[in-house]
């Protein structure tokens, strides 16, 4: 589901109308909403025994940094304009798609 997260900002860029923004917000909300449970589960699967709290705390800390996204987006929008800001966001999110295929499988193989 997170693979499609770049479609939200792309819709903002391609259709700068109220309908385009609503469609983008819905797609982005659904896809990004699936990210946190997936990330937490993935980290819990790969954390060493008795270190789960440390690893999950790291996710919480990194998630807190995501609050800077709107600030960076606002500064970028002032510099290059709103449509190009959405295009940059879409490109950044699209680059995570191939990276997601490099992650190891977290499910244990049954014998």
């Amino acid at each position: 589901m997170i693979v499609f997260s770049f479609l939200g900002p792309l819709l903002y860029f391609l259709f700068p109308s109220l309908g385009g923004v609503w469609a983008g917000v819905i797609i982005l909300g659904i896809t990004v909403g699936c990210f946190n449970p997936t990330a937490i589960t993935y980290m819990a699967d790969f954390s060493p025994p008795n270190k789960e709290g440390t690893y999950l705390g790291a996710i919480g800390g990194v998630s807190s940094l995501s609050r800077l996204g709107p600030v960076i987006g606002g500064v970028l929008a002032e510099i290059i304009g709103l449509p190009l800001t959405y295009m940059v966001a879409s490109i950044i999110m699209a680059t995570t798609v191939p990276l997601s295929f490099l992650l190891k499988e977290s499910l244990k193989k049954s014998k």
Side-chain angles (χ1 to χ4, degrees), residues 3-14 28 83-97:
V3 173
F4 299 108
S5 63
F6 72 95
L7 293 175
L10 185 62
L11 285 175
Y12 301 155
F13 175 74
L14 294 175
L28 191 61
L84 285 177
T85 302
Y86 290 133
M87 180 53 90
V88 168
S90 181
I91 290 169
I92 290 171
M93 291 176 137
T95 59
T96 63
V97 172

Side-chain angles (χ1 to χ4, degrees), residues 2-60:
I2 194 72
V3 173
F4 299 108
S5 63
F6 72 95
L7 293 175
L10 185 62
L11 285 175
Y12 301 155
F13 175 74
L14 294 175
F15 305 105
S17 64
L18 185 60
V21 170
W22 271 102
V25 166
I26 290 169
I27 290 172
L28 191 61
I30 291 170
T31 57
V32 173
C34 294
F35 175 74
N36 275 345
T38 305
I40 290 169
T41 303
Y42 191 80
M43 287 298 282
D45 286 347
F46 282 107
S47 59
N50 300 323
K51 293 285 188 177
E52 292 93 355
T54 304
Y55 281 69
L56 295 177
I59 285 183

Side-chain angles (χ1 to χ4, degrees), residues 43-84:
M43 287 298 282
D45 286 347
F46 282 107
S47 59
N50 300 323
K51 293 285 188 177
E52 292 93 355
T54 304
Y55 281 69
L56 295 177
I59 285 183
V62 171
S63 295
S64 298
L65 290 176
S66 69
R67 309 299 189 261
L68 295 175
V71 174
I72 295 169
V75 170
L76 197 59
E78 287 294 320
I79 296 170
I80 65 172
L82 199 56
L84 285 177

